[in-house]
Amino acid sequence: MSFPDLQSFIRLLEERGELLRVSTPVSRELEITEIADRLVKKGGPAVLFENVVGSPFPLAIGLLGTAERVALSLGLPDLDALAVRVRDLIDLSGAKGVGGMLSQLPKLRDAMNLPPRRVKKAVSQEVVWTGDQVDLNRLPILKCWPLDGGPFVTLPLVITKDPETNERNMGMYRMQVMGPKETGMHWQRHKTGARHLEKARRLGKRLEVAVALGGDPALIYAATAPLPPIPGLDEFALAGFLRGQRYPLVKGITVDLDVPANAEFILEGYIDPQEEWKTEGPFGDHTGFYTLPELYPRFHVTAITMRRNPVYPATIVGRPPMEDAYLIEASERLFLPAAQLILPEITDYHMPPAGVAHNLVVTSIKKRFPGEAYKTANGLFGLGQMMFAKVIVVVDDGVPVNNFGEVWREVARRAVPGRDTLTTRGPMDALDHSSRGWSYGGKLIIDATAKLAEELGSGVGSREGQNEGQGGGEALFVPHASADLPTFEGVLAQRQTADGYWYVALDKTRSGQAQELAAAFAANAAASGVRHLLICDEQTDVHNEQDVWWTILNNIDPERDVAVYGDLLAWDGARKLPEEGFVRPWPPKIVMDKSVMDRIEARWHVYGLPERWR
């Protein structure tokens, strides 16, 4: 089932009881965020806010806020079916003879849906604003979090064209509203849009830009997908494949760009590469921390086109789990078959929400020879945006990669600190605030597979394929928690788990404090039943496993902050200080204003929202 546009998907969600309408006036500044955040974290429904203060347009949020809704939006029974469909498309084995060729006809139909089609008229251009009519403030653009630098467009489909090759690109980059006709354009150094702008600068010309808001759900997802650089394969082609129909495009009104014919709004304009960049941010980002102010290009809006009765689509990002976690899960399924073509030992992989995409990747393999876990992890580091991965954990086939607790139990049982851990370096996400340098830092591989004899240091292994994939007689670690835990300067709370982990919340006030704590705790008798010491900041709830790991994975550069102390692997996720050589500003965690939380709590019933989602 494909959807002709976003509003048809909204109608279906409402029919299925998965969308609420709120007609009571609500503020676009923080209030919608607080409502949407509560709903998405409880797996609640999407919301259509029909009366956003200061705007004539309704706002829809949380449309893709569960894995089930993402699958529904792509016409699938579940997200695993996406991998099946892709695997079938790329598997051309057996296509021999007339019968074999006929068996490939469904694949040919799928392939024919890849190229988009041009149309002459489009609903996305039923209403056109130009000149003095252009006013971004009339759209219900959200200020999401208290410290945000202003309102941000959070679900934009940003379209550019390579000035030299004319190849299209569409990506999702946040846009801070800086005036009625101007926004920032958050093109990080690794993004395709940034490369297009640099080419325009060298050629001495402006870069035309179009921003679609809406379109059908397949297009929204496609804009987030990390597509490989294959000529002719762009996000419109991916959307066509996903929806089973060629994607309809129309030429822009004031730009020479193809834009989605079925969008709710289109913002048209340009970026002048010769123009001075402008400070953008802060922004409460998908990491759960604020991205601090930086200079970014300025997007000038020359026209806004729209449907006659458009709906403004939005999302929020922040502390996981958020809506983006389910888009990430869809990308996992979409690219699993391609990863397996290159690394056939992989049986599955997962990027848990606590890792906010790049910070943690868990992969399972059918192990055949010593060192294969490291071979797989290094291979993953070389696959497109997987280059940003910070920690890769490799487990045996059969370990459920999406079972967070089971994965870390396997790590404690099978991965000996030092022997089965390896640090390296490489590119990092530009939003990573803890890396040694901007967009460059350390990485960690953990081999939690059953060990072969060679990996245990015996020097005697199987030959001629004998006993391949069998353990080499390793003694598995048996964890236990201690009730008698030591004290240390700045420790606010701590606990040990029954599966081998020691969580500590540290109020760090001086240089080297975390390292001294790690050495002292490793030497204490209480360390005998654990393998991992996780040192977090003072805001971390040590009784919340997800909060602990989210903090750790955000706050470490593995080469600098993960080290062996005795038999412990210590993860230093405390705040880094200038006295320790960390010169970049350390961002705050995202926290909603208590006054806003209290106001929404008091007005929950006024908005007509069900009590169970409160």
Side-chain angles (χ1 to χ4, degrees):
M1 178 182 187
S2 62
F3 297 93
D5 53 29
L6 193 65
Q7 293 194 36
S8 62
F9 181 60
I10 289 172
R11 287 193 293 271
L12 179 63
L13 291 183
E14 188 168 25
E15 290 169 7
R16 293 167 59 101
E18 294 192 50
L19 180 130
L20 302 173
R21 288 178 179 264
V22 174
S23 57
T24 304
V26 61
S27 173
R28 65 177 97 174
E29 184 167 330
L30 305 183
E31 289 187 356
I32 287 177
T33 294
E34 176 62 18
I35 294 169
D37 190 33
R38 294 186 186 202
L39 291 173
V40 75
K41 283 184 167 49
K42 294 182 178 180
V47 187
L48 183 65
F49 291 98
E50 298 176 310
N51 192 345
V52 182
V53 176
S55 176
F57 304 111
L59 178 148
I61 196 166
L63 299 175
L64 303 174
T66 65
E68 292 75 20
R69 289 208 290 273
V70 174
L72 178 67
S73 76
L74 301 177
L76 300 168
D78 54 48
L79 290 179
D80 285 329
L82 189 55
V84 173
R85 188 175 169 203
V86 174
R87 186 174 289 109
D88 184 61
L89 178 66
I90 63 180
D91 180 14
L92 297 177
S93 61
K96 297 177 181 178
V98 175
M101 291 301 295
L102 290 174
S103 72
Q104 305 303 308
L105 286 178
K107 301 180 185 182
L108 295 176
R109 283 196 294 270
D110 269 341
M112 289 173 63
N113 290 325
L114 291 175
R117 61 185 176 89
R118 174 76 69 85
V119 298
K120 293 182 179 179
K121 294 184 65 176
V123 294
S124 61
Q125 296 175 341
E126 289 176 331
V127 178
V128 178
W129 293 351
T130 57
D132 292 340
Q133 294 175 303
V134 174
D135 186 356
L136 292 168
N137 296 317
R138 295 171 65 184
L139 276 58
I141 300 172
L142 300 178
K143 180 179 179 182
C144 301
W145 298 106
L147 301 184
D148 282 359
F152 281 82
V153 182
T154 55
L155 208 60
L157 316 181
V158 181
I159 302 160
T160 56
K161 190 165 56 175
D162 188 303
E164 294 176 335
T165 67
N166 286 328
E167 288 192 2
R168 276 189 305 257
N169 178 72
M170 182 173 67
M172 191 172 289
Y173 318 104
R174 71 177 192 236
M175 299 163 54
Q176 181 179 347
V177 177
M178 296 174 173
K181 300 181 181 181
E182 182 181 322
T183 78
M185 185 60 72
H186 195 258
W187 278 337
Q188 300 160 29
R189 71 191 324 177
H190 301 107
K191 303 303 182 182
T192 305
R195 293 199 297 273
H196 288 179
L197 184 61
E198 173 57 22
K199 286 187 177 184
R201 185 193 64 78
R202 292 201 307 266
L203 294 171
K205 60 166 80 170
R206 290 175 172 178
L207 182 69
E208 291 188 322
V209 180
V211 179
L213 303 174
D216 64 73
L219 186 69
I220 293 173
Y221 164 68
T224 72
L227 285 181
I230 299 174
L233 177 63
D234 63 18
E235 290 76 12
F236 291 115
L238 174 59
F241 165 72
L242 293 172
R243 73 202 302 262
Q245 299 174 357
R246 295 176 64 189
Y247 210 90
L249 302 178
V250 66
K251 188 176 180 180
I253 299 293
T254 63
V255 293
D256 184 23
L257 291 170
D258 290 327
V259 300
N262 59 355
E264 302 296 309
F265 297 87
I266 302 287
L267 314 181
E268 299 183 359
Y270 67 89
I271 295 176
D272 184 349
Q274 305 301 326
E275 187 176 41
E276 186 176 348
W277 288 12
K278 199 167 184 177
T279 299
E280 185 258 22
F283 177 68
D285 224 317
H286 79 276
T287 60
F289 288 72
Y290 282 95
T291 300
L292 298 179
E294 287 187 274
L295 295 174
Y296 278 97
R298 299 155 68 177
F299 171 53
H300 298 277
V301 183
T302 54
I304 299 178
T305 74
M306 68 193 80
R307 292 167 171 265
R308 286 197 177 89
N309 295 292
V311 173
Y312 178 84
T315 189
I316 55 169
V317 292
R319 291 192 184 208
M322 283 289 194
E323 189 170 11
D324 59 331
Y326 306 109
L327 297 172
I328 292 166
E329 188 175 343
S331 288
E332 290 175 4
R333 299 305 92 192
L334 181 69
F335 293 107
L336 175 61
Q340 290 171 322
L341 277 178
I342 300 167
L343 301 167
E345 67 272 17
I346 290 178
T347 56
D348 205 353
Y349 77 105
H350 180 50
M351 293 180 282
V356 293
H358 301 306
N359 286 345
L360 177 62
V361 180
V362 181
T363 184
S364 58
I365 65 171
K366 287 187 177 179
K367 185 172 176 178
R368 301 160 297 171
F369 50 79
E372 191 166 15
Y374 299 109
K375 176 258 189 191
T376 303
N378 283 307
L380 285 172
F381 283 136
L383 295 182
Q385 291 194 33
M386 199 66 79
M387 67 179 173
F388 299 130
K390 183 183 287 189
V391 177
I392 294 183
V393 175
V394 185
V395 295
D396 286 310
D397 181 31
V399 177
V401 295
N402 57 356
N403 186 323
F404 196 80
E406 183 59 29
V407 166
W408 288 112
R409 280 190 288 275
E410 196 74 357
V411 168
R413 291 172 66 236
R414 292 198 179 276
V416 176
R419 187 194 73 183
D420 302 322
T421 54
L422 181 67
T423 55
T424 183
R425 298 176 198 155
M428 300 300 295
D429 190 334
L431 298 180
D432 190 294
H433 63 261
S434 61
S435 56
R436 63 169 60 203
W438 181 51
S439 67
Y440 173 68
K443 299 170 180 290
L444 174 66
I445 301 170
I446 301 178
D447 176 6
T449 62
K451 301 302 178 296
L452 302 177
E454 296 89 343
E455 296 170 313
L456 296 173
S458 69
V460 179
S462 59
R463 300 175 61 133
E464 302 295 330
Q466 295 176 357
N467 299 320
E468 282 189 354
Q470 302 300 311
E474 61 181 316
L476 298 181
F477 181 72
V478 180
H480 64 271
S482 173
D484 185 17
L485 301 179
T487 60
F488 192 85
E489 172 198 358
V491 172
L492 303 179
Q494 59 177 311
R495 77 177 179 101
Q496 289 188 355
T497 70
D499 49 3
Y501 294 84
W502 193 344
Y503 302 156
V504 177
L506 175 67
D507 182 13
K508 182 176 175 179
T509 57
R510 60 179 176 81
S511 174
Q513 191 174 352
Q515 290 78 13
E516 292 174 21
L517 183 155
F521 278 19
N524 192 278
S528 63
V530 298
R531 266 196 164 154
H532 295 262
L533 174 65
L534 308 184
I535 304 170
C536 305
D537 61 30
E538 69 279 4
Q539 294 179 285
T540 305
D541 180 2
V542 298
H543 298 284
N544 184 329
E545 178 187 49
Q546 295 296 314
D547 192 41
V548 167
W549 278 110
W550 165 67
T551 299
I552 287 289
L553 292 165
N554 266 295
N555 284 357
I556 61 166
D557 178 311
E559 190 178 21
R560 181 192 62 218
D561 300 324
V562 182
V564 178
Y565 289 80
D567 295 326
L568 281 183
L569 192 68
W571 307 60
D572 175 10
R575 179 172 53 93
K576 307 303 179 288
L577 304 175
E579 297 84 352
E580 297 170 311
F582 192 87
V583 296
R584 291 186 292 151
W586 194 263
K589 290 180 174 178
I590 299 171
V591 180
M592 180 56 77
D593 280 349
K594 188 175 186 303
S595 61
V596 176
M597 297 171 67
D598 291 344
R599 186 162 65 248
I600 296 302
E601 182 70 19
R603 293 179 57 81
W604 194 261
H605 66 286
V606 176
Y607 297 127
L609 297 168
E611 190 67 25
R612 68 181 181 278
W613 303 119
R614 192 171 190 159

